Amino acid sequence: MIAAQDLHTEFQFPQEAESQLSSDTDFEDPDGKHAKAAKGTAAKKGRKAPGDKAKGGGAGRAPGLGRVNGHHQENGMENMSLFEVVKMGKSATQSVVDDWIEAYKQDRDVALLDLINFFIQCSGCRGAVSGEMFRHMQNSEIIRKMTEEFDEDSGDYPLTMSGPQWKKFRISFYDFIAVLVRQCQYSIIYDEYMMDTVISLLTGLSDSQVRAFRHTSTLAAMKLMTALVNVALNLSINMDNTQRQYEAERNKVIAKRANDRLELLLQKRKELQENQDDIENMMNAIFKGVFVHRYRDAIAEIRAICIEEIGVWMKLYSDAFLNDSYLKYVGWTMHDKQGEVRLKCLTALQGLFYNRELGLRLELFTSRFKDRIVSMTLDKEYDVAVQAIKLLTLVLQSSDEVLTAEDCESVYHLVYSAHRPIAISAGEFLFKKLFSHRGPEEEGLPRRGRQSLNGSLIKTTVFFYLESELHEHGAYLVDSLWECGSELLKDWETMISLLLDEPIPGEEALTDRQETALVEIMLCAIRQACECHPPVGRGSGKRVLTAKEKKTQLDDRTRITEMFAVALPLLLAKYCVDIDKVTNLLQIPKYFDLDIYTTGRLEKHLDALLRQIWEVLDKHTETEVLEACSTTYHYLCNDEFSIFNRVDIARSQLLDELVDKFSRLLEDFLQEGEELDDDDTYQVLSTLKKITAFHNAHDLSKWDLFTSTYRLLNTGLQNGDMPEQIVIHAMQCTHYIILWHLAKVSDGSSLKGEMVTLRKQMRAFSLMCQRYLNSINTAVKEQAFTTVCDLLLIFSHQMMSSGREQLEPLVYIPDSTLQAEMLNFILDHVFIDQDDDNNSTDGHQDDEASKIEALHKRRNLLASYCKLIIYNVVEMNTGADIFKQYMRYYNDYGDIIKETMSKTRQIDKVQCAKTLNLSLQRLFNDMLSELGFNIDRSSSAFCGIKELARRFSLTFGLDQLKTREAIAMLHKDGIEFAFKDPSPQGEGGPPLNLAFLDILSEFSSKLMRQDKRTVHVYLERFMTFQMALQREDCWLPLISYRNSLQAGGDDDTMSVISGISSRGSSIRSKKSKPATTNKRKLPEEENSCSSSDAGWMNREQNVQTPVMMHSPHLASTVLRDPKKMRPEDSYTTAYTMPAEQLPHQHVPTQQQQQPHPHHQAAIDYNTQVTWMLTQRQQAEARQQQERVNMHYTKMRNHMQQAVRRGSGLMEEDEEPIVEDVMMSSEDRLEDINEGMDFDTMDIDLPASKNRRERTELKPDYFDPSSIMDDSVLNVSMY
């Protein structure tokens, strides 16, 4: 046989049957002409008879070198097959092909058999074609036989396997076919045997229903076709040369004409023509037999192979293939559903349009499929969109008339795309379209300056930027054009000339709007050159620069400094009153190399810059301009440079003047009292805004501004008529004063008494802001709220972390009054409808931008308060009023609230559960106040609360161990709330809040099985005998809640009592110590081994139950000595059970070995009723003997629980059954929740207090589909 035994261990492939074709093996065959009825029959591979080897064709073997069924034989040793040689890739492809050709010349059947098996094994088939099969079977029969040889263990085959070995194999596979045809192109391929056999085999395999056969044979056939195209191209060239030689010889005079040479040339041309015909027949056979059917195969990889290769054929042999008969396949396939195939179409066309001569021959194709190519620039696959834009760029180069203005505009706007490759491709298209065409009148223009060629190109860029109407995206436009037009964008000299120089006569000057756009583009180009990374939102962060890029960056920065150090003061002087231009120009100095001011002797230009900044500051009161001035001074005042003293003196003089002016104006302003002059108000406000802007970036502590600003705030609070902007900026300035003071104290550079001063100032200012929370002005209240939130967060207990315990006197804890006022502010100003927000949007309700801005402001306010909850600055239960708004305001604040719930759960699970329960209770009370005590459980209000409870329940995740105590306490609080208030209908009616149990039932599924029983016992403490018998509609919440707690009870009959005994007995049986099985534990032992998981139930020993009846105590249980009780006695002591009712089956050993802890004897009347009902059920089931044992176990467990009720909410178990049920799968369950992250806002968190908490966000299983995810379903719960 031909298959080596080693292959059986390396390849495991699935066996595919025709009757069960998956999506991977189906392929399109609309005509049905190539269906093979007998293909795909599944059968197990059997060993061939030993005689098959002898039938493999051994005739003609040379001594010492031969082949048996395709295997090399050398000195009697079997070498590797052709497939293994190519797979290993150790031998050069040329030598492998030469060896095969030599073998083919000796015995073409054996060599061809080896080549056939090569293709079979490359498909992953473990079988091999024997010599007998090759001689006596048709190709269809051979393929059917090979199909049966496939292994079903794996769906991979060599072409789809990953790893460097198989990647190298695919390259060797391509090379082998190409070299084979190239080496055989002069003789063997024309023998009408080798090529006919290979093409016939590949055609048959390509029609197989087995994907591996179809994929491998299609790839081989396409590569074979490409190799034949190269042969045909060589033949065509040789024919042309021969024809030219023949014509030249024939045109000679008769005396010099060589008739023999003419005959030889004629004979050679005839042979070449015959070879050409043969090659064309082979190519037609492959094209019609393989390509025409496989270019529409069901597998995208196969379709992509066909399109990729036809592009190669068109490019190599354009005379034969570059026509509509072949181009139509590429055009049709551009509509393919798979991006991989569409991408191959575009790359194939790019290879054609890259050659201008070939591009001119594609006019008909371009006119037919141009619209499709243009639409592909918006393809959902980014790679496809990029290649579509590049293709349109090549089309644009070949002809300007093909693309219309609408086509170009559809590409232009993509320069603002967030996907950088798309934007860069669109920028290249834009650059080619607008900047690459030069007229003859532009040849003699200067290189730099206003009249240069770049001058007109920069104007064109400005015009395009303005026409795009996306004026806030200049950085994106510059980044898109940077790779292809960086030389143009770095021509800052021309930009400065366009802004400063006067236009020459006849030249149209730039308008104010165009100059503003030019300044913005100039700033963006400077930023791009100095930072060398794309703008925000485009790209994945900063990359490491190469040495060449770093040198270019330094050179550009030097040029910028030398150029703008001189020009910037002039630009500021010209545009001093223009807000937008000045704001952008003042950002340029932060990209300077400040050493150049000294080394380049540019100090006078620095002085001019400082004077212009002072001039700008004097003329403007806009916040953005003032902040730009402050930032510029902050960058220039760097003590690492020699210019620091010069700049610091100028800054001090400026601030001295501002502070003196403010103090003088403030005295006059406060003395005027109620008679406030508009001019005085404006002067105070403008000066205060300038001081606030500088205080944000500079330390102004030596001017002691706290007294002045505090007086201003206090006066405004007393009079109530202070302008809101003055109050707002006074708050901001005071806030900056305290923060700079805190920074000095934290560094340890302050005096001893400054901490006391800071503490007094901070508390006084906090109280002032708290009083401003009650202001009538919304903007003032928002500023006060934001300031208080920042102060509380900064001066919280966490400021002592990182070894700063000396700051403990500064810690500020808000009192309950402040917390209540802040919460009321959130409820009144955040949780409002969009149409009700009249103040924040300044009356522009119809303006969508104003609504978005107002919503953004409210989100910031809510996030500020939620941070206080997360950092434990305010009580966690204050979040109840936030959480209850989750459903109603989900679209506006859902992500913030969800994040807050997740973080609070990480801090304290129990308190978080209590807070969620409190939010539901408050919603329930609100509903009662609106609808009355007659609650309609089908109303929208009740259904909304129930839905919110469901979503709260899903946030606890799947790991019940982690949330056990939290869920249990939630049920406890919920039960107490439900029975807290008596019935408004009088005696016998349901409690007022009984319907809350229906809401609480949403959390029952999160209880562990033993906790369900415990919670049920706790519920019965609040129930009376009459409640248990009620069946009216008003009692349905109680019934449904009890049912939710009893669900799964049959599976938990031994959950608490017998669980430990069964586990203990199994352990004892392993240790072979039967002597200790009947020993009872001492009380001390029982207490020591009781589970801590049940400790949550002992927190409430005296629970108020206003609707509960007191249970009678049975003395028989109290007086009985538990140490002398048998297992049966512990069951029958409380209630005397007739002997005939006792089960007669033997009690299991595990139950007999059950240790009995001490229990108190309080048994309520409700327990007696429950026992009576149980006796009735026993009597009905007495005739069914097989159920007696199970019923006895249930009764035993129930009675043990009943005896426990008197001691409190829950008696600690010796060891909970959860150890048996859940611990085996704990490792698999504990990280289910941590694997899913939120996609919400970022909130900095303090360190978690829980030992096993992770830093990742917990998931919110609000979407039911997330619960049904495979990753969740595959985890076994038990």
Side-chain angles (χ1 to χ4, degrees):
M1 244 183 103
I2 206 160
Q5 295 297 325
D6 294 341
L7 291 177
H8 289 263
T9 61
E10 292 187 24
F11 297 93
Q12 309 250 335
F13 301 98
Q15 183 176 356
E16 298 182 26
E18 181 183 8
S19 59
Q20 296 179 349
L21 288 176
S22 66
S23 60
D24 287 339
T25 59
D26 293 339
F27 62 95
E28 299 180 8
D29 190 6
D31 301 330
K33 297 179 180 179
H34 301 276
K36 299 294 188 289
K39 285 185 179 180
T41 305
K44 293 184 178 179
K45 175 184 174 182
R47 288 185 175 272
K48 303 297 184 295
D52 288 346
K53 293 186 177 181
K55 298 176 183 180
R61 291 194 300 269
L65 177 64
R67 287 173 174 266
V68 176
N69 292 346
H71 287 260
H72 295 272
Q73 293 290 328
E74 186 174 352
N75 298 328
M77 299 298 293
E78 179 178 329
N79 285 336
M80 293 182 294
S81 66
L82 188 59
F83 166 74
E84 292 172 323
V85 173
V86 174
K87 184 184 74 171
M88 295 184 63
K90 294 182 178 180
S91 302
T93 306
Q94 183 76 34
S95 61
V96 175
V97 172
D98 290 342
D99 292 341
W100 184 88
I101 293 176
E102 185 65 27
Y104 184 83
K105 292 178 179 179
Q106 295 180 11
D107 189 338
R108 66 180 189 177
D109 289 339
V110 175
L112 194 57
L113 183 62
D114 198 7
L115 185 61
I116 291 173
N117 281 300
F118 168 74
F119 291 117
I120 295 295
Q121 293 173 349
C122 286
S123 301
C125 182
R126 299 180 60 180
V129 180
S130 64
E132 184 70 19
M133 296 167 59
F134 179 65
R135 287 192 300 270
H136 300 290
M137 297 175 66
Q138 298 294 327
N139 281 338
S140 59
E141 298 174 342
I142 293 176
I143 295 172
R144 186 184 306 114
K145 184 66 175 177
M146 292 300 101
T147 302
E148 298 172 357
E149 299 292 341
F150 263 95
D151 192 355
E152 296 182 354
D153 294 340
S154 173
D156 293 332
Y157 49 96
L159 292 184
T160 61
M161 288 183 178
S162 59
Q165 178 187 9
W166 297 110
K167 182 178 180 180
K168 186 177 181 180
F169 165 76
R170 288 190 286 272
I171 298 175
S172 301
F173 181 74
Y174 306 155
D175 293 342
F176 176 79
I177 296 176
V179 174
L180 177 64
V181 174
R182 187 176 70 242
Q183 294 299 102
C184 299
Q185 64 178 323
Y186 300 109
S187 60
I188 296 179
I189 62 174
Y190 305 111
D191 63 359
E192 297 183 354
Y193 184 68
M194 190 269 283
M195 291 301 296
D196 291 352
T197 304
V198 172
I199 292 175
S200 176
L201 175 69
L202 293 179
T203 303
L205 288 174
S206 68
D207 197 31
S208 172
Q209 294 177 345
V210 179
R211 172 177 175 170
F213 276 151
R214 205 165 69 250
H215 187 184
T216 307
S217 60
T218 301
L219 177 61
M222 295 299 101
K223 294 297 181 181
L224 183 63
M225 179 80 165
T226 302
L228 292 177
V229 168
N230 282 301
V231 174
L233 182 60
N234 293 333
L235 289 175
S236 177
I237 296 173
N238 291 333
M239 286 181 62
D240 292 341
N241 293 336
T242 303
Q243 181 66 25
R244 189 167 51 254
Q245 294 174 6
Y246 177 79
E247 294 293 338
E249 189 68 27
R250 193 179 63 175
N251 291 334
K252 293 180 180 180
V253 296
I254 298 177
K256 295 183 179 181
R257 183 185 304 168
N259 294 327
D260 294 341
R261 178 173 174 78
L262 284 175
E263 292 180 0
L264 288 175
L265 291 173
L266 192 62
Q267 181 65 27
K268 181 179 180 181
R269 187 182 67 176
K270 183 179 179 181
E271 292 177 357
L272 290 174
Q273 184 63 45
E274 291 176 354
N275 291 341
Q276 181 81 356
D277 295 340
D278 291 341
I279 296 297
E280 289 180 356
N281 291 333
M282 297 175 194
M283 292 192 299
N284 286 331
I286 296 176
F287 187 82
K288 295 179 180 179
V290 179
F291 179 90
V292 171
H293 304 288
R294 299 281 70 79
Y295 90 96
R296 55 182 181 176
D297 194 277
I299 306 302
E301 296 176 0
I302 299 177
R303 302 197 300 271
I305 290 171
C306 295
I307 298 302
E308 181 180 13
E309 293 304 317
I310 196 175
V312 175
W313 307 338
M314 293 176 184
K315 186 176 180 180
L316 289 178
Y317 199 1
S318 59
D319 293 338
F321 290 96
L322 192 58
N323 53 62
D324 297 337
S325 299
Y326 297 97
L327 284 170
K328 64 182 180 182
Y329 296 107
V330 180
W332 293 341
T333 315
M334 283 195 295
H335 296 271
D336 196 282
K337 293 182 178 180
Q338 296 297 323
E340 176 188 0
V341 183
R342 300 194 300 272
L343 186 63
K344 294 297 182 182
C345 294
L346 295 173
T347 53
L349 292 174
Q350 287 177 15
L352 302 178
F353 279 100
Y354 190 79
N355 189 332
R356 184 176 293 271
E357 295 180 358
L358 298 181
L360 296 176
R361 299 165 57 181
L362 294 169
E363 293 182 358
L364 182 60
F365 173 84
T366 305
S367 62
R368 170 66 178 82
F369 294 100
K370 180 196 64 175
D371 294 339
R372 173 56 185 163
I373 299 175
V374 172
S375 66
M376 293 174 74
T377 59
L378 300 176
D379 197 279
K380 64 180 181 179
E381 302 287 343
Y382 288 140
D383 294 339
V384 177
V386 170
Q387 298 304 323
I389 298 173
K390 291 183 177 180
L391 177 59
L392 289 177
T393 305
L394 295 175
V395 172
L396 186 66
Q397 291 179 351
S398 63
S399 177
D400 293 337
E401 301 176 355
V402 176
L403 299 178
T404 63
E406 292 78 9
D407 297 334
C408 295
E409 289 175 0
S410 64
V411 182
Y412 289 161
H413 75 278
L414 294 177
V415 296
Y416 299 104
S417 172
H419 189 259
R420 193 163 189 260
I422 291 179
I424 291 176
S425 301
E428 183 180 358
F429 179 89
L430 175 65
F431 192 82
K432 296 288 185 184
K433 179 66 176 178
L434 300 181
F435 307 137
S436 298
H437 304 287
R438 298 184 180 182
E441 68 280 358
E442 298 175 345
E443 295 298 332
L445 295 178
R447 184 178 179 185
R448 300 287 183 184
R450 187 182 186 94
Q451 305 301 321
S452 66
L453 175 61
N454 281 350
S456 61
L457 297 181
I458 290 173
K459 289 182 181 179
T460 305
T461 306
V462 172
F463 299 156
F464 171 80
Y465 178 51
L466 293 177
E467 291 176 0
S468 63
E469 297 181 356
L470 293 170
H471 309 301
E472 298 180 359
H473 298 77
Y476 285 81
L477 175 62
V478 170
D479 182 60
S480 301
L481 295 173
W482 193 255
E483 291 193 4
C484 58
S486 59
E487 182 179 357
L488 172 66
L489 295 172
K490 289 181 181 180
D491 191 0
W492 298 295
E493 181 181 353
T494 300
M495 296 181 184
I496 294 173
S497 178
L498 288 171
L499 292 171
L500 292 179
D501 297 346
E502 295 295 329
I504 62 174
E507 181 186 1
E508 185 178 357
L510 294 176
T511 64
D512 180 71
R513 187 163 171 259
Q514 292 170 352
E515 288 177 341
T516 303
L518 177 56
V519 171
E520 183 178 355
I521 292 175
M522 181 174 65
L523 172 64
C524 294
I526 293 172
R527 181 189 297 116
Q528 187 84 10
C530 294
E531 295 182 352
C532 295
H533 64 80
V536 177
R538 183 183 285 181
S540 57
K542 297 181 180 180
R543 61 183 181 86
V544 179
L545 301 180
T546 63
K548 182 178 179 180
E549 291 174 336
K550 290 181 179 179
K551 184 179 183 302
T552 303
Q553 182 186 29
L554 293 176
D555 294 342
D556 290 339
R557 193 174 185 184
T558 302
R559 282 187 57 230
I560 290 169
T561 306
E562 294 174 347
M563 196 175 301
F564 283 93
V566 178
L568 185 57
L570 301 176
L571 292 171
L572 288 174
K574 182 177 180 179
Y575 302 109
C576 183
V577 296
D578 193 302
I579 298 174
D580 295 332
K581 296 186 184 67
V582 167
T583 303
N584 288 327
L585 289 173
L586 286 174
Q587 297 183 45
I588 295 177
K590 67 180 181 181
Y591 302 106
F592 284 179
D593 183 2
L594 298 181
D595 281 330
I596 296 179
Y597 271 115
T598 304
T599 59
R601 299 182 181 275
L602 302 176
E603 288 87 354
K604 63 177 182 179
H605 298 288
L606 176 62
D607 294 337
L609 176 61
L610 296 176
R611 286 195 301 269
Q612 290 302 323
I613 295 177
W614 195 326
E615 187 74 17
V616 170
L617 196 65
D618 184 59
K619 292 183 178 181
H620 289 274
T621 59
E622 294 78 11
T623 303
E624 57 269 23
V625 178
L626 299 179
E627 290 180 351
C629 294
S630 176
T631 305
T632 303
Y633 265 109
H634 177 71
Y635 178 75
L636 295 176
C637 289
N638 192 335
D639 55 5
E640 296 180 359
F641 299 97
S642 58
I643 65 172
F644 170 73
N645 292 331
R646 187 185 299 264
V647 180
D648 185 51
I649 292 173
R651 181 184 61 176
S652 299
Q653 293 175 353
L654 174 62
L655 292 175
D656 283 337
E657 181 178 336
L658 287 176
V659 173
D660 292 342
K661 182 180 179 180
F662 176 69
S663 300
R664 184 176 63 256
L665 291 173
L666 182 61
E667 291 297 333
D668 298 339
F669 184 73
L670 296 180
Q671 289 177 3
E672 292 180 1
E674 298 180 357
E675 299 178 0
L676 299 179
D677 184 68
D678 292 341
D679 184 63
D680 294 338
T681 302
Y682 174 78
Q683 292 294 332
V684 172
L685 176 60
S686 61
T687 308
L688 182 59
K689 290 176 68 175
K690 295 172 184 178
I691 294 176
T692 302
F694 269 84
H695 215 333
N696 189 13
H698 305 269
D699 185 7
L700 308 184
S701 300
K702 62 181 180 179
W703 282 276
D704 193 16
L705 294 170
F706 179 83
T707 304
S708 301
T709 56
Y710 187 81
R711 283 181 58 199
L712 189 61
L713 290 173
N714 192 30
T715 303
L717 196 61
Q718 293 176 357
N719 298 338
D721 57 352
M722 186 75 68
E724 67 172 37
Q725 289 300 317
I726 292 181
V727 175
I728 290 174
H729 285 89
M731 284 185 185
Q732 292 179 351
C733 186
T734 309
H735 188 206
Y736 296 148
I737 293 171
I738 291 176
L739 293 184
W740 278 109
H741 200 172
L742 175 63
K744 186 180 295 185
V745 171
S746 300
D747 295 340
S749 59
S750 61
L751 299 178
K752 184 175 182 181
E754 290 191 3
M755 184 176 293
V756 178
T757 303
L758 174 60
R759 185 173 184 271
K760 292 180 179 179
Q761 291 179 353
M762 183 270 297
R763 292 180 179 271
F765 179 57
S766 177
L767 181 60
M768 180 69 68
C769 293
Q770 180 179 353
R771 295 169 65 185
Y772 268 107
L773 287 176
N774 299 320
S775 174
I776 61 174
N777 190 286
T778 302
V780 172
K781 288 193 291 186
E782 291 175 352
Q783 181 62 43
F785 178 83
T786 304
T787 304
V788 170
C789 288
D790 292 342
L791 288 176
L792 292 178
L793 199 60
I794 294 171
F795 290 91
S796 64
H797 59 277
Q798 298 188 18
M799 71 182 306
M800 297 185 299
S801 60
S802 303
R804 293 180 295 182
E805 290 78 6
Q806 72 277 6
L807 300 179
E808 183 178 1
L810 298 177
V811 174
Y812 180 51
I813 300 176
D815 55 17
S816 58
T817 303
L818 178 57
Q819 295 187 35
E821 290 183 3
M822 296 180 69
L823 180 59
N824 291 332
F825 175 86
I826 287 293
L827 297 178
D828 295 339
H829 294 82
V830 174
F831 296 106
I832 58 176
D833 294 332
Q834 188 74 262
D835 296 335
D836 297 337
D837 190 16
N838 296 324
N839 295 325
S840 297
T841 58
D842 297 331
H844 301 287
Q845 289 301 312
D846 296 333
D847 189 359
E848 190 66 24
S850 299
K851 293 183 178 181
I852 294 175
E853 183 67 23
L855 176 61
H856 180 67
K857 184 185 299 183
R858 294 196 300 271
R859 285 174 57 85
N860 286 337
L861 294 174
L862 179 60
S864 299
Y865 186 78
C866 288
K867 284 184 180 180
L868 300 180
I869 298 176
I870 293 173
Y871 280 90
N872 291 325
V873 178
V874 299
E875 296 294 335
M876 189 181 295
N877 56 15
T878 60
D881 289 306
I882 307 294
F883 297 159
K884 73 179 185 180
Q885 308 289 349
Y886 181 74
M887 290 287 294
R888 182 177 179 184
Y889 295 96
Y890 181 81
N891 293 332
D892 294 341
Y893 318 114
D895 56 339
I896 301 176
I897 299 175
K898 182 166 57 176
E899 185 88 352
T900 306
M901 285 191 292
S902 175
K903 298 303 183 182
T904 52
R905 190 181 306 113
Q906 293 182 23
I907 296 171
D908 191 338
K909 291 185 177 66
V910 175
Q911 188 61 34
C912 177
K914 288 177 171 289
T915 304
L916 296 179
N917 190 26
L918 181 60
S919 65
L920 295 174
Q921 293 176 12
R922 290 181 178 176
L923 283 176
F924 187 83
N925 289 331
D926 294 341
M927 181 186 63
L928 288 180
S929 62
E930 293 179 4
L931 304 180
F933 61 88
N934 292 324
I935 299 176
D936 182 8
R937 294 168 57 235
S938 62
S939 63
S940 59
F942 187 86
C943 293
I945 302 175
K946 191 174 176 66
E947 175 64 17
L948 181 61
R950 186 186 70 85
R951 297 203 176 192
F952 284 169
S953 173
L954 294 177
T955 61
F956 286 95
L958 300 177
D959 193 347
Q960 294 177 321
L961 282 176
K962 288 185 176 182
T963 60
R964 181 184 185 186
E965 185 177 2
I967 292 295
M969 293 306 299
L970 188 147
H971 279 273
K972 174 182 175 296
D973 292 347
I975 293 173
E976 293 175 357
F977 174 76
F979 290 94
K980 180 177 66 173
D981 297 329
S983 174
Q985 301 175 359
E987 188 70 23
L992 178 62
N993 302 330
L994 186 67
F996 188 78
L997 293 179
D998 197 6
I999 299 171
L1000 194 62
S1001 62
E1002 295 291 340
F1003 298 92
S1004 298
S1005 60
K1006 298 300 179 181
L1007 282 169
M1008 301 184 70
R1009 291 185 299 171
Q1010 57 269 38
D1011 291 344
K1012 283 185 178 182
R1013 185 179 300 277
T1014 305
V1015 172
H1016 186 266
V1017 171
Y1018 187 68
L1019 174 65
E1020 290 182 345
R1021 295 188 59 182
F1022 293 85
M1023 294 173 55
T1024 63
F1025 173 69
Q1026 290 81 7
M1027 291 182 184
L1029 303 178
Q1030 296 294 337
R1031 291 296 180 267
E1032 290 82 2
D1033 291 344
C1034 59
W1035 295 94
L1036 286 180
L1038 176 61
I1039 298 173
S1040 62
Y1041 182 59
R1042 293 184 67 189
N1043 292 338
S1044 67
L1045 295 177
Q1046 294 173 351
D1050 292 341
D1051 299 330
D1052 194 30
T1053 55
M1054 304 293 291
S1055 61
V1056 179
I1057 301 301
S1058 61
I1060 183 61
S1061 64
S1062 61
R1063 189 163 62 91
S1065 62
S1066 62
I1067 296 175
R1068 286 188 291 268
S1069 63
K1070 292 179 181 179
K1071 294 182 180 180
S1072 301
K1073 293 183 179 181
T1076 63
T1077 56
N1078 292 327
K1079 290 184 178 181
R1080 298 181 182 272
K1081 292 185 178 181
L1082 297 176
E1084 293 79 1
E1085 295 175 347
E1086 295 172 355
N1087 293 334
S1088 63
C1089 65
S1090 60
S1091 173
S1092 61
D1093 290 338
W1096 62 272
M1097 306 297 273
N1098 290 328
R1099 296 183 179 180
E1100 299 288 342
Q1101 295 295 336
N1102 298 320
V1103 183
Q1104 299 297 328
T1105 55
V1107 195
M1108 188 185 75
M1109 294 181 60
H1110 294 285
S1111 303
H1113 297 284
L1114 300 184
S1116 60
T1117 306
V1118 178
L1119 300 177
R1120 188 79 176 216
D1121 186 2
K1123 291 185 179 181
K1124 299 179 181 180
M1125 292 174 63
R1126 299 190 307 275
E1128 293 79 1
D1129 293 338
S1130 65
Y1131 177 81
T1132 58
T1133 303
Y1135 301 99
T1136 304
M1137 193 173 186
E1140 63 272 16
Q1141 293 186 6
L1142 289 175
H1144 299 283
Q1145 280 76 9
H1146 176 67
V1147 179
T1149 305
Q1150 294 181 358
Q1151 297 180 12
Q1152 293 178 356
Q1153 297 170 356
Q1154 169 71 35
H1156 297 276
H1158 294 286
H1159 302 290
Q1160 296 183 9
I1163 302 179
D1164 56 20
Y1165 179 70
N1166 197 16
T1167 304
Q1168 302 179 24
V1169 177
T1170 306
W1171 187 84
M1172 292 171 62
L1173 295 175
T1174 306
Q1175 296 301 312
R1176 185 182 305 171
Q1177 295 175 0
Q1178 273 192 311
E1180 294 175 355
R1182 190 180 296 114
Q1183 297 178 356
Q1184 301 180 8
Q1185 189 67 27
E1186 65 275 6
R1187 296 177 56 189
V1188 174
N1189 188 27
M1190 181 182 298
H1191 191 70
Y1192 171 77
T1193 305
K1194 290 182 181 179
M1195 287 294 300
R1196 178 184 181 85
N1197 192 16
H1198 178 75
M1199 296 307 301
Q1200 291 282 1
Q1201 293 288 351
V1203 175
R1204 290 184 177 186
R1205 291 177 197 168
S1207 61
L1209 186 56
M1210 176 179 176
E1211 195 74 43
E1212 289 188 351
D1213 301 332
E1214 292 182 69
E1215 289 185 17
I1217 190 62
V1218 67
E1219 298 293 336
D1220 282 333
V1221 178
M1222 294 297 293
M1223 291 303 290
S1224 61
S1225 59
E1226 180 180 1
D1227 294 336
R1228 291 176 292 172
L1229 291 173
E1230 67 176 1
D1231 290 329
I1232 286 181
N1233 296 336
E1234 281 93 1
M1236 307 178 186
D1237 296 338
F1238 284 118
D1239 188 12
T1240 55
M1241 68 168 193
D1242 295 331
I1243 298 180
D1244 296 333
L1245 277 184
S1248 177
K1249 294 184 177 181
N1250 295 333
R1251 177 174 60 89
R1252 299 183 61 185
E1253 287 298 324
R1254 310 310 201 251
T1255 58
E1256 292 86 1
L1257 307 181
K1258 293 295 188 296
D1260 186 357
Y1261 296 95
F1262 286 18
D1263 184 5
S1265 62
S1266 64
I1267 303 177
M1268 301 304 295
D1269 187 79
D1270 294 338
S1271 62
V1272 179
L1273 293 178
N1274 290 337
V1275 179
S1276 176
M1277 290 297 295
Y1278 301 106

